[in-house]
Amino acid sequence: MDGDSRWFAALREILAAAHLWRPERLAAQVSAALEPVGLSSRIWLADYEQVTLRELPSAGAKPAEPLPIDSSLAGRAFARVRSLPAGDGHWYVPMVDATDRIGVMEFTGVPGAGEVERCELVAGLIGHLIATTTPRSDHLDVVRRSQPMSPASELLWRLLPPLTASSDSVVISAVVRPCYDVGGDGFDYVLDGSTAYLVIMDAVGRGLAAGLACAVALAAIRATRRAGGDLAEQARAADAALAEQFADVRFVTAVLAELDVDSGRLRYCNAGHPRPLVLRGGRSVRELTGGVRLPLGVASSAGVATSTEVAVEMLQPGDRLLLHTDGVTEARTAGGDRFGVGRLVDLVERHADAGLPAPETVRRLAHAIAEHQGSALADDATLMLVQWSGAAAARTVPVADRGNDA
Amino acid sequence: MNDDILVVRTEDAEARIVVLTASGELDRDTVKSLAVAADDALGRGRDRIVLDVGRVTFCDSSGLSLIVGLHRRAAASGGVLRVACAQGIVLTALQISNLDRLLYLDPTLEAALHAVRSGE
């Protein structure tokens, strides 16, 4: 067989095995399938908090020590979504599901940079297959945990879409903290046609009670959106669902928005939530003050009529829209120093100007917030960054680093 | 931390009026003491409630939720809740959540008492 045929056979073997594969054998099977093309591989998955890459162990084998994302070559490949050489035919190749960063594949035996594109093809395939296998495997999920998860977090993570998604003109990336013990924070988005639908929310209280309120609001919003309801109707559906499900007052603050990615027209309503921010190329920061209404669930329960006014804002190409919950700006040190909007905006600008992919910008923001708080008791913190930019979207797609910007 | 507590004082005034004065941090860990005081007042038929939050130094969503619940319960029994002296971080929390549109806010205790006495 020639080289291409051997590669085709290797990909065919992986795909054929994927129908029946057992998650604990996945890493070894992939590596074995690559043997005929002279390669071997290891699979590293990012943990939930995106601090380390953890090896997907093969059955019986002891996994390697986790690799820190901030200070390892593998971590750099993950962070930049770029393949990086480690010498001696050794490469780290980012593994994504669409543009959601899952981890890194490590290849040995790569004869030259020309072969890296084929490794990227394999990593892309494995990324998709891991994403589709995870719902039927605890093994794949538990590898990504540095500690056990609370029931509220188990509920929340099954509700959320992937942290990152892009189309050719927009990228959406979010982060939720604390990963293993979150309360009622949540987010949602869809990219359909020329519209990006965006939701960020914060349900009152802590733990599973807050998570349930978040789940109810999110389900009501999705059901209404998918039935063709507009933003005001989605908010009212959440009001009604929360009032119906809970005897006490369970309100949820939220921003619901839709961005037309052809025109830049942003329509939004704000149900008692911190104001969205629009960042324009380091030159200006605008708080979006319109579209104000009561928190979701208050109106119906309090027996008052709610009007939902929808505000409109025109974005310019390259603008960044930042949605956040109050746990971000209210994060305090033990001494009481707030993280604040100023620090938040400053960090977004700095990371984005450095050409970092949007998911890496929000990852670093989450870590800056956690660092700021130290060991102080932390509220939930959720961030969603939306960049209306084809170039920003392209930075979330893996391509080989051919030595240009390493 | 010592300042993480909430102290609630209850003072009955004439007729169905009660003044609840809260001081300290009103959050998910402390909200119960206000809930207990409010339950007690409502249980004694005191449903014209003035909640003085002038000395509340912090208020999270659990605190806001309790206030909204109290607003609703007082209204349901034909009474009213007036929130007096909201300032600083408490006022900001009420404004950010847009609950200042729902709740009756008074700048001073006198204004709140005047409002409940005149049946507003």
Side-chain angles (χ1 to χ4, degrees):
Chain A
M1 281 200 291
D2 62 14
D4 281 348
S5 306
R6 278 199 297 273
W7 272 96
F8 178 72
L11 293 179
R12 191 176 55 191
E13 187 178 329
I14 290 169
L15 271 169
H19 291 293
L20 299 177
W21 69 17
R22 284 165 48 170
E24 72 279 8
R25 292 186 186 161
L26 192 158
Q29 279 186 327
V30 170
S31 189
L34 294 172
E35 218 171 274
V37 294
L39 299 180
S40 65
S41 65
R42 295 164 84 183
I43 294 171
W44 299 85
L45 300 179
D47 55 21
Y48 271 86
E49 61 271 44
Q50 301 182 72
V51 170
T52 64
L53 295 166
R54 307 170 84 87
E55 188 182 13
L56 180 61
S58 295
K62 197 174 173 302
E65 279 295 301
L67 300 172
I69 289 173
D70 280 333
S71 58
S72 67
L73 199 60
R76 189 176 169 83
F78 173 84
R80 303 274 171 164
V81 201
R82 293 289 179 271
S83 302
L84 293 175
D88 275 348
H90 198 126
W91 281 76
Y92 291 106
V93 178
M95 191 168 55
V96 297
D97 173 35
T99 57
D100 186 37
R101 302 185 300 180
I102 288 180
V104 165
M105 272 192 85
E106 179 182 347
F107 293 92
T108 43
V110 184
E115 290 287 290
V116 176
E117 276 178 44
R118 286 170 162 168
C119 294
E120 287 165 350
L121 192 66
V122 173
L125 178 64
I126 302 304
H128 285 298
L129 292 176
I130 286 179
T132 55
T133 306
T134 299
R136 64 176 166 91
S137 164
D138 279 354
H139 179 75
L140 289 174
D141 197 86
V142 170
V143 169
R144 299 180 49 218
R145 302 178 180 199
S146 63
Q147 55 182 278
M149 201 174 264
S150 70
S153 280
E154 295 283 4
L155 173 71
L156 184 81
W157 284 110
R158 295 302 159 267
L159 286 179
L160 300 181
L163 291 177
T164 303
S166 311
S167 71
D168 56 359
S169 58
V170 67
V171 47
I172 300 165
S173 195
V175 71
V176 180
R177 291 288 184 279
C179 299
Y180 302 101
D181 188 21
V182 78
D185 274 13
F187 68 88
D188 192 30
Y189 62 78
V190 282
L191 281 167
D192 274 326
S194 64
T195 308
Y197 297 89
L198 313 163
V199 181
I200 189 165
M201 57 174 56
D202 181 0
V204 67
R206 279 285 295 163
L208 204 46
L212 285 171
C214 179
V216 166
L218 207 49
I221 287 170
R222 283 173 173 162
T224 309
R225 184 181 71 212
R226 288 164 185 166
D230 62 17
L231 294 177
E233 287 163 340
Q234 292 166 31
R236 279 197 294 273
D239 281 338
L242 287 164
E244 192 186 307
Q245 289 304 315
F246 303 110
D248 53 344
V249 176
R250 293 284 182 91
F251 67 72
V252 176
T253 73
V255 171
L256 286 72
E258 47 188 52
L259 171 65
D260 184 311
V261 296
D262 290 338
S263 66
R265 191 179 64 153
L266 178 76
R267 302 176 72 251
Y268 67 98
C269 63
N270 184 342
H273 199 78
R275 291 164 177 172
L277 300 166
V278 174
L279 283 60
R280 189 157 292 165
R283 294 189 307 278
S284 71
V285 180
R286 262 175 57 71
E287 280 196 346
L288 303 185
T289 57
V292 165
R293 54 157 279 156
L294 287 171
L296 305 176
V298 170
S300 298
S301 63
V304 294
T306 346
S307 60
T308 300
E309 155 210 357
V310 175
V312 177
E313 178 81 14
M314 291 306 294
L315 298 192
Q316 291 180 10
D319 276 358
R320 297 172 194 126
L321 173 69
L322 189 62
L323 305 174
H324 64 94
T325 61
D326 62 2
V328 172
T329 47
E330 296 303 319
R332 292 188 287 180
T333 60
D337 178 28
R338 289 171 68 247
F339 192 76
V341 170
R343 272 199 189 94
L344 178 65
V345 167
D346 187 51
L347 283 172
V348 172
E349 296 284 9
R350 205 179 325 148
H351 293 325
D353 289 347
L356 289 181
E360 182 60 14
T361 297
V362 295
R363 185 186 79 88
R364 292 188 186 190
L365 282 171
H367 293 197
I369 293 157
E371 213 164 90
H372 180 80
Q373 286 180 132
S375 57
L377 184 69
D379 190 11
D380 300 349
T382 298
L383 269 169
M384 182 191 275
L385 176 65
V386 181
Q387 287 187 263
W388 187 38
S389 154
R395 281 197 288 274
T396 63
V397 177
V399 292
D401 190 331
R402 311 287 178 231
N404 299 328
D405 60 353
Chain B
M1 283 184 288
N2 292 331
D3 55 351
D4 280 358
I5 56 164
L6 182 77
V7 177
V8 182
R9 199 176 68 227
T10 302
E11 282 174 280
D12 289 351
E14 72 273 19
R16 290 147 56 196
I17 297 173
V18 63
V19 179
L20 302 176
T21 308
S23 13
E25 301 207 350
L26 180 53
D27 61 23
R28 58 178 172 260
D29 300 320
T30 64
V31 77
K32 192 143 193 284
S33 53
L34 180 56
V36 167
D39 285 346
D40 176 62
L42 284 165
R44 291 184 288 107
R46 300 274 170 176
D47 60 6
R48 307 188 65 77
I49 303 168
V50 173
L51 175 61
D52 183 343
V53 294
R55 288 188 190 156
V56 174
T57 52
F58 180 74
C59 181
D60 76 353
S61 58
S62 301
L64 295 177
S65 181
L66 181 89
I67 295 172
V68 172
L70 198 50
H71 172 90
R72 188 177 65 168
R73 288 166 66 198
S77 71
V80 68
L81 171 72
R82 310 281 319 191
V83 180
C85 309
Q87 44 124 7
I89 200 162
V90 178
L91 185 58
T92 306
L94 289 167
Q95 287 167 339
I96 286 176
S97 61
N98 303 324
L99 290 171
D100 55 341
R101 298 178 166 209
L102 172 76
L103 302 168
Y104 302 112
L105 304 186
D106 298 293
T108 63
L109 185 58
E110 291 69 35
L113 281 168
H114 177 76
V116 286
R117 284 186 181 124
S118 55
E120 283 173 38

